[in-house]
Amino acid sequence: MWSFAGSLQPEPAASRPDLLAAPVAHAVAALPEAGSVGVAAIDAGLADTAAFCDAYGVAAADSANCVIVKGKRGGDVRFAACVVLATMRADVNGVVRRRLDVRSASFAPMEEAVALTGMEYGGITPLGLAAEWPILVDAAVAASAGVVVGAGIRGAKLFLPGAVLAALPGAEIVEGLGRPIG
């Protein structure tokens, strides 16, 4: 089922809440398609995408990164999660800034992202985020038969079809959200 998992052998995520941050475990349990979501334990020191892909034989094109973006307009602060393939970079200053309708947008500071999500830095995932936040999913991620994302902790990864991410509450498929790196 999770043929893109490299050397890892995922288990159904719903049966392993010990490998998920609390908000992620709640979100997985609420998914109608929870059976299509797998989880595998990894070395927490290898949670960063390049190290993870190298160590476990997962292609970067099968990995997706979730970044929290903070935008401001006057005194109003808005957050969004952006999900792009690991081979791409989120267009924060263009696509995301316009979507949030803010004057400036940037990656949320690590401490703030961790505090607001209830997840570990390097493991933040779109599952289990604040209901009022938009989840911007690059069209390439949504179309993917399977991607690897964080599990809310650095010591695990989730394996799921891109369609599951695209169907999350608050998710929007965004063409051109990801820009090629380099």
Side-chain angles (χ1 to χ4, degrees):
M1 172 183 269
W2 299 293
S3 59
F4 53 95
S7 63
L8 295 169
Q9 296 182 355
E11 303 173 62
S15 68
R16 293 298 310 268
D18 58 307
L19 293 177
L20 308 172
V24 179
H26 291 2
V28 168
L31 286 175
E33 57 280 297
S36 66
V37 181
V39 67
I42 65 165
D43 179 332
L46 299 172
D48 294 335
T49 305
F52 165 77
C53 289
D54 187 50
Y56 296 104
V58 174
D62 291 332
S63 296
N65 291 321
C66 178
V67 295
I68 305 301
V69 174
K70 178 180 184 177
K72 296 179 184 177
R73 177 179 282 281
D76 190 23
V77 177
R78 301 172 189 166
F79 290 92
C82 300
V83 186
V84 297
L85 293 175
T87 56
M88 308 290 239
R89 176 173 291 131
D91 183 1
V92 173
N93 290 311
V95 174
V96 179
R97 182 183 57 76
R98 287 190 299 274
R99 166 53 190 82
L100 289 177
D101 189 28
V102 293
R103 290 188 186 271
S104 65
S106 61
F107 297 113
M110 177 179 61
E111 299 80 15
E112 189 172 24
V114 168
L116 291 172
T117 63
M119 300 179 203
E120 295 177 2
Y121 193 75
I124 293 175
T125 189
L127 288 89
L129 294 174
E132 64 273 11
W133 290 5
I135 300 171
L136 309 179
V137 181
D138 186 76
V141 173
S144 177
V147 292
V148 181
V149 295
I153 64 169
R154 289 183 63 85
K157 294 286 186 181
L158 292 176
F159 301 80
L160 67 166
V164 171
L165 297 174
L168 290 173
E172 301 173 27
I173 299 171
V174 180
E175 289 285 341
L177 174 62
R179 302 279 187 218
I181 295 173

